[in-house]
Structures are given as structure tokens and as C-alpha cells.
């Protein structure tokens, strides 16, 4: 199949090499429509257990597991997520713009919610080769992470404080 041409597409690949996309509230697998999510999605992500996670602007997260779609919201959160990422601990991180950073286990339960409401975007994630988890201009070194992947102490890249960081990559050198 082919994916519809539409601004705002987000793509992910699962272990079986299938390509999933979210376009507004429509979810596609390899270009074929599969289901409608309960709200317009911003990001779609496939974790190591092949769960699909969809972040939304007002309706929390949606998890698609074994053909069951579940809406997940958090009591002490704005439930406004632009980015979602699963790290090497298989812990899910969800963030947005001027909102909390939320760490979630594979069942959809919040492990930790970090208040970042006045610090710009928390929607960009990356885990570098040394195990450091990056979230915008914040980072957590491996020695500051628990056995479940929670961060005990986020540090900042001072020069980027208050800036919105939309992409983080690690070069090969």
C-alpha cells in the first residue's frame, strides 16, 4: 500500500519490519488502514514488545497491543504528549511542550512524572551508545539510572536551557 500524503505523519518500524504511520487519528500498517485511534496522534512508536504507542495533544497515550486499543491517562498530568520513546530498559518516556516528562512501564502505569512545565519541549528523546538518555536539553547518565531505567538525576546542557530541542542524534565519531 501507499501512505496518504498529509502533513503531520509520524512513522515507526516494528521488529517484523512493518512500517506503521499515524495520520490525524488514522493508523496505517505498510500503507493499509488498520484502525482509528480515539484522538489525533502526534507520534507513533513501536516498542520492543511490538506495542504501538500513540501520543496525543490532549488525550494522553494510546497503546495498541494484540489488536486492543487502550487509552492511558495520568491523574497528575496535563496528558498532552508530542513525543514518545522506549529506551533499552523497555521503559516508555512521553513528553510534550511546556509539560511534564512522564516515564511509563509497558503496562501503561506511570513510574515517574518529572515537572518540566516551564522548561520548553520534553518531546525529543534519544538514548546514546553509552546508555545516556537524552530529553531535549536534559540528560541522565547511566550511573544515575535505576535498575528499571528511572532517572535519579537529570542534568542540563546549560547553553540550551529554555530552548526547544526537536532532534537529537549521535554521530559515528
Amino acid at each position: 500500500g501507499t501512505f496518504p500524503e498529509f502533513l503531520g505523519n509520524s512513522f515507526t518500524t516494528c521488529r517484523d519490519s512493518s512500517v506503521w504511520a499515524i495520520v490525524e487519528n488514522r493508523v496505517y500498517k505498510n500503507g493499509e488502514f488498520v484502525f482509528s485511534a480515539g484522538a489525533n496522534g502526534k507520534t507513533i512508536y513501536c516498542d520492543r514488545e511490538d506495542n504501538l504507542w500513540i501520543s496525543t495533544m490532549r488525550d494522553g497515550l494510546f497503546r495498541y497491543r494484540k489488536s486492543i486499543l487502550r487509552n492511558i491517562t495520568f491523574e497528575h498530568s496535563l496528558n498532552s504528549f508530542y513525543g514518545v520513546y522506549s529506551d533499552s530498559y523497555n521503559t516508555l518516556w512521553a513528553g510534550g511542550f511546556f509539560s511534564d516528562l512522564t516515564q511509563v512501564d509497558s503496562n501503561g502505569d506511570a513510574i515517574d512524572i518529572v515537572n518540566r512545565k516551564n522548561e520548553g519541549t520534553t518531546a525529543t528523546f534519544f538514548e546514546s551508545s553509552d546508555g545516556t538518555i537524552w530529553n531535549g536539553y536534559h540528560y541522565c547518565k547511566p550511573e544515575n539510572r535505576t535498575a528499571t531505567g528511572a532517572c535519579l538525576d537529570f542534568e542540563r546542557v546549560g547553553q540550551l536551557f529554555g530552548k526547544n530541542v526537536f532532534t537529537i542524534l549521535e554521530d559515528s565519531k
Side-chain angles (χ1 to χ4, degrees):
T2 60
F3 292 102
E5 291 187 34
F6 204 90
L7 293 177
N9 288 347
S10 175
F11 296 90
T12 190
T13 304
C14 289
R15 291 180 303 162
D16 65 358
S17 297
S18 59
V19 177
W20 292 81
I22 180 92
V23 180
E24 292 182 338
N25 70 339
R26 297 179 310 278
V27 179
Y28 297 84
K29 179 181 181 183
N30 297 326
E32 302 294 326
F33 175 79
V34 179
F35 65 91
S36 289
N40 286 348
K42 300 311 280 176
T43 304
I44 189 168
Y45 189 85
C46 188
D47 69 17
R48 293 188 328 205
E49 297 174 1
D50 289 333
N51 296 305
L52 289 176
W53 294 89
I54 300 167
S55 63
T56 70
M57 289 176 47
R58 293 177 193 87
D59 298 302
L61 300 172
F62 285 84
R63 183 189 65 207
Y64 186 68
R65 175 190 281 177
K66 299 179 182 173
S67 300
I68 298 170
L69 184 66
R70 176 180 166 213
N71 182 223
I72 300 169
T73 58
F74 307 100
E75 185 178 340
H76 302 289
S77 171
L78 296 174
N79 290 298
S80 176
F81 301 112
Y82 284 78
V84 63
Y85 178 78
S86 180
D87 64 18
S88 61
Y89 292 83
N90 206 30
T91 298
L92 193 80
W93 299 84
F97 290 109
F98 299 101
S99 65
D100 297 326
L101 170 64
T102 304
Q103 187 180 9
V104 183
D105 66 19
S106 62
N107 292 318
D109 297 319
I111 297 171
D112 191 22
I113 297 175
V114 179
N115 183 339
R116 296 257 179 87
K117 287 183 177 68
N118 298 314
E119 297 191 29
T121 183
T122 60
T124 305
F125 300 94
F126 180 75
E127 189 170 9
S128 55
S129 58
D130 69 355
T132 300
I133 189 82
W134 292 84
N135 172 236
Y137 57 83
H138 296 88
Y139 61 96
C140 186
K141 296 177 183 175
E143 58 269 20
N144 291 330
R145 297 187 74 187
T146 67
T148 61
C151 182
L152 301 173
D153 182 31
F154 274 100
E155 299 178 53
R156 291 184 183 144
V157 178
Q159 301 92 316
L160 297 176
F161 179 72
K163 307 289 185 201
N164 289 321
V165 177
F166 293 101
T167 303
I168 303 170
L169 297 171
E170 180 177 35
D171 67 22
S172 59
K173 295 181 183 182

